Amino acid sequence: MIKIILNGNTQTCEPGKKVGEILADNNALAARVNGQIVDLAYELKQDSEVNPIYFDSQEGRSIFWHSTSHLMAHAVRLLFPDVKLAIGPAIDEGFYYDFDLTHSLTEKDLEKIEAKMRELVKKNLPIVHKFIAKPELEKSYHQAGEKYKLEILSEVPDEKISTYEQDGFFDLCLGPHLSNTGIIKAFKLLSVAGAYWKGDEHNPMLQRIYGVSFPSQEQLDEYITKLEDAKRRDHRKLGPQLGLFLFSEDLGPGLMLWTPKGALMRRIIEDYWIDTHFKAGYEITYTPHIARGHLWETSGHFSYYKENMFTMTIEKEEYALKPMNCPGHILIYKSAVRSYRELPIRYAELGTVYRNERSGVMHGALRVRGFTQDDAHIFCTPDQIEDEIYSTLQLAIKIMSDFGFKDFHIDLSLRDPNHKEQYVGTDEQWDMGEQALIKALDRSGLKYTRREGEATFYAPKIDIKLLDSLGREWQCPTIQFDFNLPSRFNLYYMGADGRHHTPFMIHRAILGALERFLGILIEHYAGAFPVWLNPVQATVLTITEAETDYAEQVIAQLKTQNIRVNKDFRNEKISYKIGEAERDKIPYILIIGKREKEQNKVALRKRRQGDLGAANLETVIEQIKQDIFERR
RNA sequence: GCCCAUGUAGCUCAGUCGGCAGAGCACUUCCUUGGUAAGGAAGAGGUCGUCGGUUCGAUUCCGACCGUGGGCUCCA
C-alpha cells in the first residue's frame, strides 16, 4: 500500500492506481503529483501528494487547449489526408496548429474542420499516452513524409519518444493531455494565417489555424462576447468615428492625420505632460527631424538600424530622418563641459521620429511609421542612478494613474549571465545598473517579474505593461540604461576629483508614443474619455428656437470657466439631438427648453446616467470642474 | 518583406452568371417648434482602390500594383 495526500487529506491505496480514480472528480483535467504535472491516467507507484488541476488555472487551460489543438489536427488530417503537421501548442488565449497543406484554407474550411472536430468529440475518444521507440517513430514519419515531425524528432535526445494517440491519430508530445476528447465541449476556430516554420522567414510558409476552447458552451459564449466587446472598442473604428484621427492612402501607410478633436486631445495630453515634467525637474528640448549621416554613424544607428531609417541626399551628403531622439540630446549635453554639480541633467522632448517599419506590421495608431515619443534622457553620476530610477518609476506610475490606468505588470529585463559577451559595457556598469533597477523597484514596493536574458545588448531595462478595462496588456512606460552611447559619443563630466568620468545615461518614455497612447486610451475608455481629456466636455441643446438667446448666454458662461463646450441648435427633435450627443460620448449634455429659460436653469443629462433633471448652471459648472480636477 | 483574405457613395452594406450602379444612415432644401438615444418629404452624391490585358462592351473575367485586415518576422 502507498500513502496518498489529496487536498491535504491522507489515504492509502494499492500501487498502480490511476490518479483519475483517486481524484474521482469530473472537473479535474490533470493533476500535480509531487509537483509534477501528469495525466489522469498516470499510475501512482509511491507515496505521493496529489492535487487536481482545473480549467481555472493557467496549467489547466494550457492542457485543455493543447488537447484541442491535437483534436483539430486530427480533424484536419481526416479532411486533408496529404497534410503535413508542424507544431500545435497552447498559447496565452487558446491554441494554434501549423499545417503544410497544398490546399489554401478558407473560413469555410474552418467550419468543416469544426464539424469534424465535433464528430470526434461525440465519439468520446480516449487520449492515450504512449512511448514509442525513436527508430520506429522515425520510420513511420519517414513513410508518411512528415518532414517537420522528423526535424523535431532529430532534436530530441530521448530513445523512447512520448506520444499521444486518439483513434489512430498520434502526435509527439510531452503532454500532459486530457483523458478523452469528449471533455472538449465547446470550441471555436478563430482565424487562419500564414506562419513560417520555426518563425524563420527563410523557412517555408505554413498555414496556421488559431482557436480557443472551453469546458462549457457558456464559457465560450462569454469569451465571444468579450471578443465582440473588444471589437466595439477598436480604436481604428472609433478614432475616425469620433473625429480624432484618420489615415489616408494618399498620405501613405503608417502616417497619421490628427483631426481637430484628436489634435485637441493631444494638446491636452502634451500640456499635462510638459507641466508634470517641469515639476519633476526635467528640461524641455526640441531637436530637428533630420540629421546628417555622420551623426548616425557615430551613434551606431547606421550599422545596426539603417534598414529602418528613411534617408535622403542633401548637397551630395546623406541625411536621415531621426528614428530616435537620443543623439540630439547627447549633442546638447556635449555642448558644454558638465560638472558633477549640475547632474542629473534631464532632457525631455515630445520628439517625432520616423521608422521604416516593414509594410506588413503597421496596425492602426498602435504601430505607425511616424510617431511622437514622450522621450527623455537622464545623464547622471553612478551614485544618482538609484534615485533617478526610483523617481522615474514614481513619475511613470503617477502619469499612468492620472490617465486612469491603475494596474500594471512590470518586467525587469536583465542580461543573460551565461552570455555576457553579447553585451556592450563593463561588468561593473551592468552590476551597478541592474542593482539600481532592483533597488528602485524594491523601494517602490512594486511587484515585478525578473527576465534574465531579456535585456537589450546595450543595457538592462524596466518595462511597464498597463492593464486596460478588458484586462488586456499594453506596453507603455520603459526605463532603460544605455552603456553604449555615452562611450560612442565620449560623454563625460568633471568629477569632484577634477577628472573626467563617463556619466550614466537613462532612456525613458512613459506614454510611449502619442499616436499609440491615443489608440490605447480609445480602447480603454471605449471612446468615452474622462472629462479632463474629452475634447468636448459639454454640449448645449435647445428644444426650440425660442431658447437660442438664453442658450448662448449659458455657453458664454461655460466658456468663461474654460469648459470646452459645443452646441446643437438645429431644427431637430430633442431626442434626435440627444442621440447624436450620446453617440459622440460627450460627458455633459445641457438641455434648454421653455421651462429652463423661465427658471434660469439647465436640464442636465450625464453620459451613462441619463436625465438628471433641472439644475442651476453654477452647480453644473462646479460638477464639471470637480470632474476635471479629479480626472474623472 | 512573406502567406491568406479583402477594397462598390462620407459611413454600414446589397448587387451585376460581362450590357446605363442600389439601400439605410449622414449631407442639402422644404414641412414640422417638438421635453430626454434617430419626425416627414424631396434632392444631391459613385472613373465600383489604381494601372494594364481579354472582349463589340469590364465595376464584374485575368494580371500587376496600392491600401486595409488576420498572422509570421522585426521592434534600438
Side-chain angles (χ1 to χ4, degrees), chain A residues 330-331 333-334 379 485-493 501-503 505:
Chain A
I330 285 173
L331 293 180
Y333 178 90
K334 275 187 76 149
F379 302 90
L485 292 179
S487 58
R488 278 184 168 273
F489 281 93
N490 292 316
L491 297 190
Y492 68 89
Y493 64 90
H501 298 269
T502 305
M505 179 175 168

Side-chain angles (χ1 to χ4, degrees), chain A residues 268 528-538 563-564 587-588 606-607 623-629 631-632:
Chain A
I268 295 158
F529 305 109
V531 180
W532 75 284
L533 274 175
N534 215 298
V536 181
Q537 295 170 318
I563 289 165
R564 299 186 290 271
Y588 281 84
K606 279 173 82 167
R607 187 174 63 194
Q623 277 188 49
I624 297 175
K625 289 172 105 170
Q626 193 61 26
D627 279 355
I628 293 169
F629 182 73
R631 302 191 193 285
R632 277 192 298 226

Side-chain angles (χ1 to χ4, degrees), chain A residues 48 63 568 627:
Chain A
S48 305
I63 292 164
D568 187 350
D627 279 355

Side-chain angles (χ1 to χ4, degrees), chain A residues 76 167 180 189 267 399 429 459 493 519-520 544 570 587:
Chain A
V76 170
D167 196 30
N180 191 294
L189 303 186
R267 191 71 194 196
I399 291 177
Q429 282 175 320
Y493 64 90
I520 294 169
T544 73
R570 287 177 303 175

Side-chain angles (χ1 to χ4, degrees), chain A residues 46-190:
Chain A
Q46 56 189 31
D47 293 356
S48 305
E49 184 180 348
V50 177
N51 289 298
I53 292 178
Y54 300 110
F55 190 80
D56 65 1
S57 69
Q58 189 57 48
E59 290 98 341
R61 285 192 289 275
S62 181
I63 292 164
F64 197 90
W65 287 333
H66 198 164
S67 292
T68 317
S69 139
H70 278 217
L71 174 70
M72 176 172 77
H74 188 177
V76 170
R77 159 59 49 72
L78 293 173
L79 291 167
F80 306 95
D82 68 327
V83 69
K84 308 266 179 291
L85 303 178
I87 54 162
I91 51 177
D92 286 352
E93 285 209 341
F95 59 87
Y96 68 79
Y97 210 112
D98 285 347
F99 304 103
D100 186 353
L101 193 58
T102 44
H103 169 76
S104 280
L105 292 168
T106 63
E107 298 285 317
K108 267 232 160 79
D109 291 319
L110 294 189
E111 286 167 27
K112 271 190 242 165
I113 295 165
E114 281 183 359
K116 184 59 83 179
M117 285 167 74
R118 268 188 283 276
E119 277 176 37
L120 297 172
V121 167
K122 269 198 192 134
K123 286 183 182 168
N124 286 310
L125 301 170
I127 301 172
V128 185
H129 192 195
K130 283 181 184 167
F131 284 94
I132 301 180
K134 194 168 175 180
E136 191 187 325
L137 196 55
E138 275 174 342
K139 198 175 147 197
S140 76
Y141 273 146
H142 204 80
Q143 281 168 357
E146 289 280 10
K147 53 182 176 178
Y148 306 99
K149 293 296 179 191
L150 281 169
E151 195 174 327
I152 297 168
L153 217 46
S154 73
E155 290 159 10
V156 177
D158 311 355
E159 277 315 301
K160 291 275 188 184
I161 305 294
S162 169
T163 70
Y164 280 80
E165 186 256 312
Q166 57 200 43
D167 196 30
F169 171 83
F170 70 97
D171 200 352
L172 37 142
C173 185
L174 289 171
H177 272 281
L178 303 176
S179 55
N180 191 294
T181 59
I183 299 166
I184 306 169
K185 297 280 188 244
F187 52 82
K188 182 154 184 64
L189 303 186
L190 298 167

Side-chain angles (χ1 to χ4, degrees), chain A residues 30 42 96 126 163 230 239 250 327 369 387 392 398 400 402 407-408 443 456 544 546 556 580 610 630:
Chain A
Y42 179 85
Y96 68 79
T163 70
D250 293 323
R369 280 190 174 146
D387 279 348
T392 305
K398 179 205 159 27
M400 286 303 112
D402 279 350
D407 298 315
F408 316 98
R443 198 163 126 200
T456 58
T544 73
E580 195 167 288
E630 292 178 25

